[in-house]
Amino acid sequence: MNITDKYDVVIIGGGMVGASLACALADSTLSIAVIEGHEPPANWPADSFDIRVSAITRASENLFRRLGAWEEMEAMRVQPYEAMDVWDATGSGHIHFDAAELGEPNLGHIIENRVITRALLQRLRRHDNIDTCCPTKPVRLMLRSDHAQLQLDDASLLQTPLIIGADGAHSWLRQQAGIDIQERHYRQTAVVTTVQTERHHEDTAWQCFLPSGPLAFLPLPEGRSSIVWSTSAEEAERLLALDDAEFMSELGEAFMHRLGTVTAVGPRGAFPLKGRHAKEYVKPHLALVGDAAHTIHPLAGQGVNLGLADVEELATVVLTAHRTHRPIGSFKTLRRYERARRGDNLLMLDAMGTFKALFSNDTPGLRELRNLGLNLADHAGPLKNLIVARAMGLGSLPSTP
Ligand SMILES: Cc1cc2nc3c(=O)[nH]c(=O)nc-3n(C[C@H](O)[C@H](O)[C@H](O)COP(=O)(O)OP(=O)(O)OC[C@H]3O[C@@H](n4cnc5c(N)ncnc54)[C@H](O)[C@@H]3O)c2cc1C
């Protein structure tokens, strides 16, 4: 079979992480191909909301700004949130974060996934050195000593010194490369939908820890909220089968009517939750980023933000190697990326596992302890600032005295 095309970098997956990586590498002389299996939606009704949304941290916003995609997202639809309110449904534990107290305009933004992807794809199309192959899927991977080859389902054969898997939690590339994962069974499924509530969400991200799992109301434009209700698989199935009126009534009750009654609900979807961590992020001529390398519980809204931090690191490593005429796909080069990201991702995976275990456990002593912990953290200025700086994806808060 003949080589159809040669690229410096081939990225499998044009989702939020893969498209960001392509844009981050594009201000260079590198030739890049993005292989995406699904055509993104061309249009959607103005009054509809994507059931998939992401809490985007300041660090990720800054990356989108540098990639030139932030303005397009803002022009479409983004919702800043100015406060976060978290409480334990089984006790008095409560913690509140306020952007104003920290001298920040907001704590982050809630953005529909399709808005993020569309803005990035628009940006990507403006680069002459990026070819987007869509809808196309790879069918065969061949890792050679000095390059990788990828056969696509349209019979073309690509050759590249660096192939990158940004193809999500069930990564085809990860499996083809024989990279194992460590799994954490959260034994929860997230039910997601968009709702309208009696009272306005006050530009606040709300999260209530129920014994069955966390329930989040994330603010959207026009007073809507996106909900992520994590619960057992059986309970999720039951919630999906309820009619709209029953669902709204149960949701309002579970949320302790913090925003009054739920007055309207959109389509519902469910996502089984599982923690995954690839045992290797890189091999010679191959790297994994985003959900292909790690997935975590969505309770702190960090999944795609970690993926975007991978993007920043991998782009820096590859561009530096390219500029200094070192091989971009060598194991030595790619290990720099793995070393820089693995510890951070593992820390977040561990923290989410601990949080989930701590709040899903109704043992009385533990319940009192976590309620006390929440209240103490609420009154401990420096600790609170540290938590919020981490949640915003920042090492520290520049504007905090
Ligand atoms: C309920 C829920 C709520 C969440 N909330 C948040 C949040 O608030 N904040 C946050 O940071 N994260 C959140 N996350 C996590 C976030 O959604 C993921 O981390 C993010 O989608 C990962 O992006 P990705 O581009 O790595 O993978 P994906 O979004 O899975 O994209 C992978 C892309 O690759 C393509 N693809 C897959 N296989 C192939 C193939 N073989 N060939 C070609 N193309 C392929 C797919 O079509 C897709 O476009 C949440 C997750 C869930 C489940």
Side-chain angles (χ1 to χ4, degrees):
M1 199 173 180
N2 293 328
I3 304 295
T4 326
D5 281 301
K6 287 187 177 181
Y7 289 97
D8 294 316
V9 182
V10 172
I11 300 171
I12 306 181
M16 295 186 279
V17 171
S20 297
L21 182 60
C23 291
L25 292 173
D27 267 337
S28 67
T29 54
L30 291 169
S31 60
I32 302 159
V34 178
I35 316 294
E36 170 53 51
H38 295 103
E39 195 86 61
N43 281 305
W44 51 79
D47 61 350
S48 79
F49 283 82
D50 191 355
I51 59 167
R52 297 294 308 269
V53 308
S54 298
I56 292 298
T57 62
R58 180 78 77 251
S60 297
E61 171 192 335
N62 290 340
L63 173 67
F64 289 149
R65 283 185 191 280
R66 286 197 295 280
L67 300 181
W70 183 254
E71 279 181 11
E72 300 198 31
M73 289 179 207
E74 275 191 311
M76 278 185 268
R77 196 159 62 186
V78 305
Q79 172 67 47
Y81 58 98
E82 290 162 14
M84 273 194 284
D85 207 75
V86 180
W87 72 98
D88 186 339
T90 66
S92 59
H94 172 251
I95 188 162
H96 182 84
F97 303 96
D98 205 311
E101 277 174 22
L102 301 160
E104 291 286 318
N106 56 61
L107 298 176
H109 291 77
I110 307 297
I111 315 183
E112 293 155 82
N113 288 5
R114 67 187 180 191
V115 166
I116 298 176
T117 312
R118 176 182 284 186
L120 288 166
L121 292 182
Q122 278 172 5
R123 200 68 214 157
L124 196 141
R125 285 193 197 105
R126 293 205 195 121
H127 292 283
D128 293 338
N129 53 339
I130 305 181
D131 285 344
T132 310
C133 313
C134 175
T136 309
K137 282 191 174 176
V139 291
R140 194 157 163 241
L141 170 75
M142 289 147 283
L143 285 176
R144 309 277 187 235
S145 59
D146 58 348
H147 63 259
Q149 287 183 353
L150 193 68
Q151 190 183 331
L152 304 181
D153 59 5
D154 61 5
S156 49
L157 184 66
L158 311 185
Q159 181 167 310
T160 178
L162 176 57
I163 183 160
I164 296 170
D167 48 349
H170 305 285
S171 172
W172 176 89
L173 187 68
R174 188 184 68 217
Q175 292 172 38
Q176 293 298 308
I179 297 178
D180 284 339
I181 47 170
Q182 269 162 344
E183 291 188 325
R184 296 166 193 228
H185 296 274
Y186 297 132
R187 298 184 208 295
Q188 285 183 346
T189 292
V191 175
V192 298
T193 186
T194 310
V195 298
Q196 186 84 51
T197 47
E198 193 181 0
R199 286 204 297 278
H200 193 266
H201 49 55
E202 299 168 16
D203 302 331
T204 297
W206 309 83
Q207 180 143 265
C208 164
F209 281 95
L210 301 164
S212 51
L215 168 59
F217 273 56
L218 306 173
L220 289 174
E222 300 166 26
R224 314 276 178 100
S225 298
S226 172
I227 72 134
V228 184
W229 191 348
S230 304
T231 186
S232 68
E234 303 76 49
E235 179 64 359
E237 213 174 296
R238 193 187 68 78
L239 290 172
L240 288 180
L242 295 176
D243 67 29
D244 281 0
E246 288 168 335
F247 181 80
M248 288 192 290
S249 159
E250 288 208 20
L251 176 61
E253 204 162 306
F255 196 56
M256 303 154 104
H257 300 294
R258 279 293 162 105
L259 299 176
T261 54
V262 178
T263 55
V265 63
R268 281 165 253 166
F271 299 88
L273 302 176
K274 200 186 263 187
R276 298 178 187 83
H277 201 199
K279 290 189 180 163
E280 299 156 281
Y281 287 12
V282 301
K283 281 187 177 247
H285 309 294
L286 182 148
L288 302 175
V289 281
D291 273 21
H294 45 75
T295 60
I296 62 169
H297 198 291
L299 71 90
Q302 288 294 327
V304 78
N305 293 297
L306 292 182
L308 294 168
D310 294 349
V311 164
E312 295 225 71
E313 192 62 44
L314 184 56
T316 303
V317 162
V318 170
L319 290 173
T320 306
H322 181 57
R323 221 177 17 251
T324 51
H325 308 290
R326 284 182 288 115
I328 60 171
S330 76
F331 188 62
K332 194 172 167 203
T333 299
L334 298 175
R335 270 286 288 158
R336 289 203 174 92
Y337 153 67
E338 172 163 357
R339 272 200 301 270
R341 290 301 306 147
R342 201 179 169 78
D344 233 27
N345 290 333
L346 186 60
L347 200 69
M348 196 59 89
L349 258 150
D350 284 345
M352 289 312 107
T354 308
F355 250 101
K356 193 253 155 199
L358 192 63
F359 280 91
S360 305
N361 190 322
D362 214 20
T363 311
L366 196 62
R367 191 194 317 148
E368 266 105 54
L369 204 64
R370 71 175 180 241
N371 276 290
L372 182 70
L374 274 182
N375 290 333
L376 281 176
D378 196 32
H379 292 99
L383 174 63
K384 208 170 150 178
N385 285 355
L386 201 71
I387 297 171
V388 83
R390 186 73 210 182
M392 292 169 80
L394 305 171
S396 60
L397 286 171
S399 51
T400 322

